[in-house]
Amino acid sequence: MTSKDKILQAIKAAQLDEVALPAPVENPTVYDDPVQKFSDVAKAVGTSVLEATNLEAVKDHLLQTYIPEVQARWSIEKSLRIVSTLPEMENLAEQIVDADLNPHSLEDVDIAIMAAQLGVAENSALWVPETLIRVLPFICQHLVLLVAKNQIVNNMHQAYEKMGLGVDPFGAFIAGPSKTADIEQSLVLGAHGPRSLAIYLLSS
């Protein structure tokens, strides 16, 4: 018997008894103003949150304020590579339309602009389902996510009810920029993902 067979045999012999699922939470946390709570929590973890009436307002702010601020804050002198999965951003960003695109070709992306399906007030997490390129929201230096205000729910229980199970082949809850303090207890931004996260809350 090979080592592999022994391991598999041991796993089969160690089957645990079935355990019933826990009872549903009877009174999950809800807020008088989920959008305000979402914004407050997001800002507390280092996210930039802005409100916009529509996509044109978002594009204006990106061009006139956000992009210049990113260049100034992070001392970027070169032209930024900006990409987006949103057709509405075609005049502002390079469009990502090919699902077979080599992920390595995105290694120099400075800003990625994408849409989130919903947001969660209690932890400011945004559900971002896979859109063409799975690696995009993690490989970019700075991430911009758009979400409608009416898609902000109170808690994770409501989030799972809204998103359903098994609908998206892949997705991630994203909250705040990438941060780690594992090395010498020194806070590092961008170690495992974007250095910054900006969220635009859309009224329509």
Side-chain angles (χ1 to χ4, degrees), residues 61-81:
H61 188 272
L62 287 170
L63 280 170
Q64 298 174 19
T65 305
Y66 176 78
I67 294 173
E69 285 182 353
V70 167
Q71 288 184 296
R73 179 183 177 188
W74 300 93
S75 301
I76 304 174
E77 298 181 356
K78 68 178 182 68
S79 297
L80 298 180
R81 184 182 179 192

Side-chain angles (χ1 to χ4, degrees), residues 82-126:
I82 305 172
V83 304
S84 179
T85 57
L86 304 176
E88 296 86 356
M89 298 292 165
E90 62 180 351
N91 296 328
L92 175 64
E94 172 188 339
Q95 293 292 288
I96 303 296
V97 296
D98 186 3
D100 295 324
L101 181 70
N102 184 347
H104 295 286
S105 68
L106 301 171
E107 64 181 358
D108 61 344
V109 169
D110 293 295
I111 299 174
I113 306 170
M114 305 176 68
Q117 191 176 85
L118 58 87
V120 185
E122 68 178 352
N123 56 17
S124 78
L126 288 165

